[in-house]
Amino acid sequence: MTHILKTLAGGTALAFTLAAGYASATTVYYGEGAGNDPFPEPLLGAEALAKCDQGGGSGTCIAWEDAPEAQGGAEGDYSAAFSVVYSGNQSFGWSFDSSLVTGASNVLLPTIIAVKAANKYQIFEITGGDVSGTIDISGYQRNDISHVSFYNIAAVPLPAAGWMLIGGLGGLAAMQRRKTG
């Protein structure tokens, strides 16, 4: 996905390509814990989407589980919407196809990937809006991947940003009025 930023400088528009290709993911948490689900419970009101219960190696994950709503899962069935293709015991490519989600009135995008290997896990934040990417945990540990889980954490609104937007629009209106008056 390519993002374009348009900036007005001296009356000319400049376009900068910020990112292209696969999504980047940032590690936001590293920890150890028991059990099959690698996500610390609860973490910022996260809604579980789906989990791959098949370890690394090669090939496509076929052992998907949908997260039940009664256990903090999102509305609908997300198990067919994700694809994980292992390129080794410690790395994989992933993708999400929202058209394959069933039974959800509002389809959520994944915002977090949790990767479990033995009793250790890493939580990666997905760059906003990205629906594919790659993950490699070899820099974190020597254990092989056992589970990959996808979650959505709703964005927290920033009230100050709204006031700044209103102030900026008011400033532009005042400048326009001053220019024409």
Side-chain angles (χ1 to χ4, degrees):
M1 173 182 292
T2 302
H3 303 282
I4 303 295
L5 172 68
K6 293 184 180 176
T7 306
L8 295 176
T12 53
L14 301 172
F16 300 96
T17 302
L18 298 178
Y22 278 113
S24 59
T26 304
T27 306
V28 293
Y29 190 80
Y30 174 82
E32 295 186 24
N36 286 336
D37 197 350
F39 216 45
E41 189 62 45
L43 180 67
L44 303 175
E47 290 187 83
L49 301 177
K51 174 171 59 172
C52 171
D53 277 343
Q54 176 183 328
S58 62
T60 302
C61 177
I62 57 172
W64 284 97
E65 287 182 27
D66 181 61
E69 287 181 62
Q71 296 175 0
E75 172 193 39
D77 185 345
Y78 284 76
S79 60
F82 288 99
S83 174
V84 166
V85 179
Y86 292 104
S87 52
N89 290 325
Q90 296 183 316
S91 61
F92 61 91
W94 66 273
S95 63
F96 174 71
D97 183 349
S98 62
S99 69
L100 298 176
V101 176
T102 58
S105 58
N106 182 28
V107 175
L108 302 173
L109 290 176
T111 58
I112 296 287
I113 300 173
V115 181
K116 183 171 187 289
N119 66 338
K120 298 177 181 169
Y121 48 87
Q122 292 78 38
I123 298 174
F124 297 90
E125 182 177 24
I126 299 170
T127 304
D130 285 334
V131 294
S132 66
T134 58
I135 299 288
D136 186 333
I137 66 165
S138 62
Y140 300 99
Q141 60 178 297
R142 295 182 181 186
N143 297 313
D144 295 344
I145 295 171
S146 60
H147 298 81
V148 176
S149 303
F150 292 88
Y151 297 84
N152 174 277
I153 295 178
V156 178
L158 300 173
W163 289 112
M164 288 174 58
L165 177 63
I166 291 169
L169 291 174
L172 289 173
M175 287 175 52
Q176 181 67 25
R177 183 175 177 156
R178 184 177 184 194
K179 192 177 192 180
T180 59

